[in-house]
Amino acid sequence: MAIILKEVSAPTAGIKITTPNVQAFHNSDSLGNGTLYVTGSEVTWISSAPGSKGFSVTYPAIVLHAISTDTTTFPSEHVFMMVDQRKSSLELAAAELEGEESDNDDEEGPGLEIRFVPDDKEALTPMYHEILKGQEENPEEDDMMFEDEEEQEDGEYEMEEGDEQAMGSGQWFTADNIDQLQMSEEGLANMQRIFGRGDQQPRQDDSME
């Protein structure tokens, strides 16, 4: 298990949507089945296993999110979130953390890929839109996650080999298909800064909502 699950209390205030029977994944590693709570301040997932363990992510830590229906890169349709670990309370298991440190010699925190897979596929769109509303209500003005990449002369984000493997080929986040993603305005702005495509607007296709 990559992300360390901790005891988490179910939210009682500001709940926008509660979705039961949602599997959570870090990258492709399953964290189990549980309940997803989207509130006005954070996204919380709590495992259905005994112990009420899970994790919470506040909106300023969410770099972007989108719906993926492309089962060639991941076997299930899901809501995808990229999380800036430095702005979150998420912790990685020791082995995973050592691997991240060895792969990243600079001081940048890793971007954590989290996927939520509901049993009911009709829940994907409500989950996405409630997270979208949460981000709009909690804007992050000082996003420094990719500051070094922004300073490159060519204005482009250089994909690492591991990033390409994790995101797969076809419907993920590259300069060629950024305009095919539906995401929050904040996530779009982050992606435009990464790829230097500030003049483009997103459009929806059949595989990414």
Short mmCIF file of all heavy atoms in Angstrom, two decimals, residues 1 6 8 13 20 42 51 83 105-107 121 128 133 138 153 158 172 196-197 207-209:
data_model
loop_
_atom_site.label_atom_id
_atom_site.label_comp_id
_atom_site.label_asym_id
_atom_site.label_seq_id
_atom_site.Cartn_x
_atom_site.Cartn_y
_atom_site.Cartn_z
N MET A 1 0.85 -1.19 0.00
CA MET A 1 0.00 0.00 0.00
C MET A 1 0.88 1.23 0.00
O MET A 1 1.75 1.38 0.86
CB MET A 1 -0.92 -0.02 1.22
CG MET A 1 -1.90 1.14 1.28
SD MET A 1 -2.93 1.07 2.75
CE MET A 1 -3.75 -0.50 2.47
N LYS A 6 -5.01 6.54 7.59
CA LYS A 6 -5.09 6.92 9.00
C LYS A 6 -6.53 6.93 9.45
O LYS A 6 -7.45 6.91 8.64
CB LYS A 6 -4.47 8.32 9.20
CG LYS A 6 -3.01 8.41 8.75
CD LYS A 6 -2.48 9.83 8.95
CE LYS A 6 -1.04 9.94 8.51
NZ LYS A 6 -0.51 11.32 8.70
N VAL A 8 -9.84 8.31 10.25
CA VAL A 8 -10.52 9.51 9.77
C VAL A 8 -11.97 9.46 10.20
O VAL A 8 -12.63 8.43 10.11
CB VAL A 8 -10.44 9.61 8.22
CG1 VAL A 8 -11.17 10.84 7.73
CG2 VAL A 8 -8.99 9.62 7.75
N ALA A 13 -20.44 18.06 8.46
CA ALA A 13 -20.88 19.39 8.04
C ALA A 13 -20.36 19.71 6.65
O ALA A 13 -19.30 19.25 6.24
CB ALA A 13 -20.38 20.44 9.04
N PRO A 20 -21.22 5.84 -1.60
CA PRO A 20 -20.73 4.58 -1.04
C PRO A 20 -20.15 3.68 -2.13
O PRO A 20 -20.31 3.94 -3.33
CB PRO A 20 -22.00 3.97 -0.44
CG PRO A 20 -23.10 4.48 -1.32
CD PRO A 20 -22.67 5.87 -1.74
N GLU A 42 -12.94 19.76 1.65
CA GLU A 42 -12.01 18.68 1.33
C GLU A 42 -12.73 17.49 0.71
O GLU A 42 -13.96 17.41 0.71
CB GLU A 42 -11.26 18.23 2.59
CG GLU A 42 -12.17 17.68 3.68
CD GLU A 42 -11.45 17.43 4.99
OE1 GLU A 42 -10.29 17.86 5.12
OE2 GLU A 42 -12.05 16.80 5.88
N GLY A 51 -12.03 -0.15 11.41
CA GLY A 51 -11.00 0.80 11.82
C GLY A 51 -11.21 2.21 11.31
O GLY A 51 -10.57 3.15 11.76
N VAL A 83 -2.57 15.13 -6.93
CA VAL A 83 -2.46 15.83 -5.65
C VAL A 83 -1.01 16.25 -5.41
O VAL A 83 -0.08 15.45 -5.59
CB VAL A 83 -2.95 14.92 -4.49
CG1 VAL A 83 -2.75 15.62 -3.15
CG2 VAL A 83 -4.41 14.55 -4.69
N ASP A 105 15.77 14.30 -7.24
CA ASP A 105 16.88 14.84 -6.49
C ASP A 105 16.63 16.27 -6.04
O ASP A 105 17.30 16.76 -5.14
CB ASP A 105 18.17 14.80 -7.34
CG ASP A 105 18.59 13.37 -7.65
OD1 ASP A 105 18.28 12.49 -6.82
OD2 ASP A 105 19.23 13.15 -8.70
N ASP A 106 15.68 16.97 -6.67
CA ASP A 106 15.39 18.34 -6.24
C ASP A 106 14.44 18.30 -5.06
O ASP A 106 14.13 17.26 -4.51
CB ASP A 106 14.81 19.16 -7.40
CG ASP A 106 13.56 18.51 -7.97
OD1 ASP A 106 12.97 17.67 -7.27
OD2 ASP A 106 13.19 18.86 -9.11
N GLU A 107 13.96 19.48 -4.65
CA GLU A 107 13.12 19.57 -3.47
C GLU A 107 11.64 19.53 -3.80
O GLU A 107 10.81 19.79 -2.95
CB GLU A 107 13.46 20.86 -2.73
CG GLU A 107 14.89 20.89 -2.19
CD GLU A 107 15.19 22.16 -1.44
OE1 GLU A 107 14.31 23.06 -1.41
OE2 GLU A 107 16.28 22.27 -0.88
N LYS A 121 -21.45 3.57 -12.00
CA LYS A 121 -20.79 4.48 -12.93
C LYS A 121 -21.55 5.78 -13.12
O LYS A 121 -20.97 6.80 -13.52
CB LYS A 121 -20.59 3.80 -14.29
CG LYS A 121 -19.78 2.51 -14.22
CD LYS A 121 -18.47 2.70 -13.46
CE LYS A 121 -17.71 1.38 -13.35
NZ LYS A 121 -16.53 1.50 -12.44
N TYR A 128 -17.44 14.22 -9.92
CA TYR A 128 -16.57 15.18 -10.59
C TYR A 128 -17.06 16.61 -10.36
O TYR A 128 -16.27 17.50 -10.00
CB TYR A 128 -16.52 14.89 -12.09
CG TYR A 128 -15.85 16.00 -12.87
CD1 TYR A 128 -14.48 16.05 -13.02
CD2 TYR A 128 -16.62 17.02 -13.44
CE1 TYR A 128 -13.88 17.08 -13.71
CE2 TYR A 128 -16.03 18.05 -14.13
CZ TYR A 128 -14.65 18.08 -14.26
OH TYR A 128 -14.06 19.11 -14.93
N LYS A 133 -16.95 22.12 -7.92
CA LYS A 133 -17.52 23.21 -7.14
C LYS A 133 -16.66 23.53 -5.93
O LYS A 133 -16.46 24.70 -5.58
CB LYS A 133 -18.95 22.85 -6.70
CG LYS A 133 -19.95 22.76 -7.83
CD LYS A 133 -21.32 22.36 -7.30
CE LYS A 133 -22.33 22.19 -8.42
NZ LYS A 133 -23.65 21.73 -7.92
N ASN A 138 -12.78 27.23 -3.27
CA ASN A 138 -11.53 27.29 -2.51
C ASN A 138 -10.36 27.53 -3.46
O ASN A 138 -9.48 26.67 -3.62
CB ASN A 138 -11.31 25.98 -1.73
CG ASN A 138 -12.38 25.74 -0.69
OD1 ASN A 138 -12.25 26.15 0.45
ND2 ASN A 138 -13.45 25.06 -1.09
N GLU A 153 13.01 27.80 -20.71
CA GLU A 153 12.96 28.74 -21.82
C GLU A 153 11.92 28.36 -22.86
O GLU A 153 11.29 29.21 -23.46
CB GLU A 153 14.33 28.83 -22.49
CG GLU A 153 15.38 29.48 -21.60
CD GLU A 153 16.70 29.60 -22.31
OE1 GLU A 153 16.77 29.17 -23.49
OE2 GLU A 153 17.66 30.10 -21.71
N GLU A 158 8.68 18.90 -19.24
CA GLU A 158 9.35 17.71 -19.73
C GLU A 158 8.87 16.49 -18.96
O GLU A 158 9.07 16.38 -17.76
CB GLU A 158 10.87 17.85 -19.56
CG GLU A 158 11.46 18.97 -20.41
CD GLU A 158 12.95 19.06 -20.25
OE1 GLU A 158 13.50 18.30 -19.42
OE2 GLU A 158 13.58 19.88 -20.92
N TRP A 172 -4.27 10.70 -21.85
CA TRP A 172 -3.83 11.37 -20.63
C TRP A 172 -3.19 12.71 -20.94
O TRP A 172 -3.35 13.26 -22.01
CB TRP A 172 -2.93 10.47 -19.81
CG TRP A 172 -3.74 9.39 -19.14
CD1 TRP A 172 -3.81 8.09 -19.49
CD2 TRP A 172 -4.64 9.56 -18.05
NE1 TRP A 172 -4.71 7.43 -18.68
CE2 TRP A 172 -5.22 8.30 -17.79
CE3 TRP A 172 -5.02 10.65 -17.27
CZ2 TRP A 172 -6.15 8.10 -16.78
CZ3 TRP A 172 -5.95 10.44 -16.25
CH2 TRP A 172 -6.50 9.18 -16.02
N GLY A 196 2.54 25.18 -21.38
CA GLY A 196 2.69 26.38 -22.18
C GLY A 196 1.65 26.51 -23.25
O GLY A 196 1.91 26.96 -24.35
N ARG A 197 0.41 26.10 -22.93
CA ARG A 197 -0.68 26.15 -23.91
C ARG A 197 -1.77 27.08 -23.42
O ARG A 197 -2.94 26.76 -23.41
CB ARG A 197 -1.25 24.74 -24.14
CG ARG A 197 -0.32 23.80 -24.84
CD ARG A 197 -0.19 24.15 -26.31
NE ARG A 197 -1.46 23.98 -26.98
CZ ARG A 197 -1.89 22.80 -27.43
NH1 ARG A 197 -1.19 21.70 -27.25
NH2 ARG A 197 -3.06 22.70 -28.06
N SER A 207 -14.11 10.06 -24.65
CA SER A 207 -13.44 9.22 -23.67
C SER A 207 -13.08 9.95 -22.41
O SER A 207 -12.78 9.32 -21.41
CB SER A 207 -12.16 8.62 -24.28
OG SER A 207 -11.29 9.64 -24.68
N MET A 208 -13.06 11.29 -22.39
CA MET A 208 -12.78 12.04 -21.18
C MET A 208 -13.91 13.03 -20.97
O MET A 208 -14.23 13.82 -21.85
CB MET A 208 -11.47 12.84 -21.30
CG MET A 208 -10.24 11.96 -21.43
SD MET A 208 -9.88 11.03 -19.93
CE MET A 208 -9.44 12.35 -18.83
N GLU A 209 -14.57 12.99 -19.83
CA GLU A 209 -15.63 13.95 -19.53
C GLU A 209 -15.08 15.01 -18.62
O GLU A 209 -14.43 14.73 -17.67
CB GLU A 209 -16.79 13.24 -18.83
CG GLU A 209 -17.53 12.29 -19.79
CD GLU A 209 -18.80 11.78 -19.15
OE1 GLU A 209 -19.13 12.16 -18.01
OE2 GLU A 209 -19.49 11.00 -19.77
#
